[in-house]
Amino acid sequence: MESVFGEPPSNYLANSVSNDHTAQEPQTLSRNESESSIGLTHVGKTGEAQMVDVSFKGSSKRTAIASCKVILGKKVYDLVLANQIAKGDVLSVAKIAGISGAKYTSTLIPLCHNIPLNHVRVDLTLNPEDWSVDIEGEASSTGKTGVEMEAMTAVSVAGLTVYDMCKAASKDIRITDASHKQGKAALFLVI
């Protein structure tokens, strides 16, 4: 299996890596300042991994939308379209897997908050233009932290499920273009 990751933003390394490893005093920021500041929120003052403290935030409705694409190729696309994949109904199973994945995000990603989800939607659409499955996921919650990781996990797990169900028919399937509504996540998997 080969993974190819997109290029980081041009200022990525300048903002996230420093040769100066001295600890800095934590700053007290207002809610608006902390949400708009650029930096690594999961890194403590001495460089250790930490879960972000959201106790000062008020609860609000939060929604995130993510998407990805699974490029099948014509042969596998035709099998999925005809519901002839040996493992069963690819789109239905992947939809359920994506919803389940969103619910387990904090278990899969260690520093994510465990948040109650109000709703998760995962839609899979066959795209005949490039013989692919377009996947869109939406997660919503009322709480103190966002749900973009839950939406991204939903579409990623759904995409991996499509791959798993179809891999016997082809090894050329690609999961690509994983993104959330704030911008590209630059994740490309070639399996």
Side-chain angles (χ1 to χ4, degrees):
M1 178 165 88
E2 176 185 357
S3 295
V4 181
F5 294 91
E7 292 295 320
S10 60
N11 64 352
Y12 174 76
L13 292 176
N15 288 337
S16 64
V17 177
S18 169
N19 290 331
D20 181 11
H21 295 291
T22 60
Q24 296 178 353
E25 289 298 313
Q27 296 178 355
T28 303
L29 300 174
S30 71
R31 180 177 178 193
N32 290 339
E33 288 174 323
S34 67
E35 288 178 351
S36 65
S37 65
I38 297 173
L40 298 176
T41 58
H42 288 78
V43 178
K45 63 183 177 180
T46 60
E48 78 283 3
Q50 68 177 11
M51 182 180 245
V52 175
D53 181 1
V54 295
S55 61
F56 68 93
K57 290 183 169 187
S59 289
S60 62
K61 180 168 180 172
R62 296 166 181 271
T63 299
I65 297 173
S67 63
C68 78
K69 177 182 284 285
V70 182
I71 300 174
L72 301 172
K74 181 162 178 31
K75 174 186 156 189
V76 178
Y77 178 90
D78 289 342
L79 290 170
V80 172
L81 180 63
N83 200 14
Q84 295 297 311
I85 294 292
K87 286 190 173 184
D89 183 348
V90 173
L91 302 181
S92 294
V93 173
K95 178 180 185 119
I96 299 300
I99 293 168
S100 182
K103 293 164 51 175
Y104 284 96
T105 300
S106 66
T107 302
L108 299 168
I109 302 170
L111 299 178
C112 281
H113 292 87
N114 183 7
I115 60 175
L117 293 169
N118 296 335
H119 179 70
V120 176
R121 173 185 58 81
V122 177
D123 294 327
L124 295 94
T125 306
L126 288 170
N127 184 342
E129 292 179 17
D130 58 1
W131 302 312
S132 69
V133 179
D134 293 328
I135 304 173
E136 182 177 273
E138 178 179 21
S140 65
S141 178
T142 301
K144 297 181 175 194
T145 188
V147 290
E148 69 279 358
M149 293 306 298
E150 286 74 11
M152 290 285 290
T153 301
V155 300
S156 298
V157 170
L160 289 167
T161 301
V162 170
Y163 174 81
D164 178 61
M165 294 189 72
C166 298
K167 67 187 177 191
S170 174
K171 300 296 185 212
D172 295 328
I173 298 168
R174 291 181 296 139
I175 302 169
T176 185
D177 296 339
S179 65
H180 61 94
K181 75 175 191 170
Q182 283 81 27
K184 287 257 179 180
L187 169 65
F188 301 94
L189 298 175
V190 179
I191 302 173

